[in-house]
Amino acid sequence: MNLPTARETLQDGGFQVETVLGTDDIASASAEESRKRHGVAGLICAYKAAGPRAEEGGNLQEVRDTAVRLNALGQSAWRCQIAGSDRPSFALYDA
């Protein structure tokens, strides 16, 4: 998707637009570097929280603020392999 183009098109049409980055994974960067955080499944919760705020009549800033307050912590029950890697980044062993 070309989100900058979509944003510009909406703004040209007279719509107010805010961008919310999915940076909810608290384990991927410190609070001071939160813009470096990854987005994980918690982003879905941000959508679920922001939608009702909009339906309640919240203005754009209130809806945005609701979405960005979310933090999440991902966990794995199985080994993880980063795309492009030839092996898992870690392994879980039976005790």
Side-chain angles (χ1 to χ4, degrees), residues 37-83:
R37 290 180 177 171
H38 304 284
V40 293
L43 188 55
I44 294 168
C45 296
Y47 298 150
K48 291 292 207 176
R53 185 66 190 112
E55 288 178 354
E56 292 170 355
N59 64 38
L60 183 59
Q61 188 64 45
E62 292 169 332
V63 173
R64 182 198 173 282
D65 290 348
T66 299
V68 299
R69 270 191 235 121
L70 180 86
N71 290 312
L73 178 60
Q75 69 180 24
S76 176
W78 193 243
R79 63 184 178 209
C80 176
Q81 186 163 335
I82 306 298

Side-chain angles (χ1 to χ4, degrees), residues 2-17:
N2 192 332
L3 297 178
T5 300
R7 177 188 177 105
E8 183 178 320
T9 300
L10 288 167
Q11 288 174 326
D12 289 348
F15 291 92
Q16 291 182 333
V17 180

Side-chain angles (χ1 to χ4, degrees), residues 9-38:
T9 300
L10 288 167
Q11 288 174 326
D12 289 348
F15 291 92
Q16 291 182 333
V17 180
E18 285 285 339
T19 299
V20 175
L21 300 176
T23 56
D24 53 293
D25 182 12
I26 62 173
S28 61
S30 68
E32 295 79 27
E33 297 183 307
S34 62
R35 300 210 31 103
K36 292 182 179 180
R37 290 180 177 171
H38 304 284

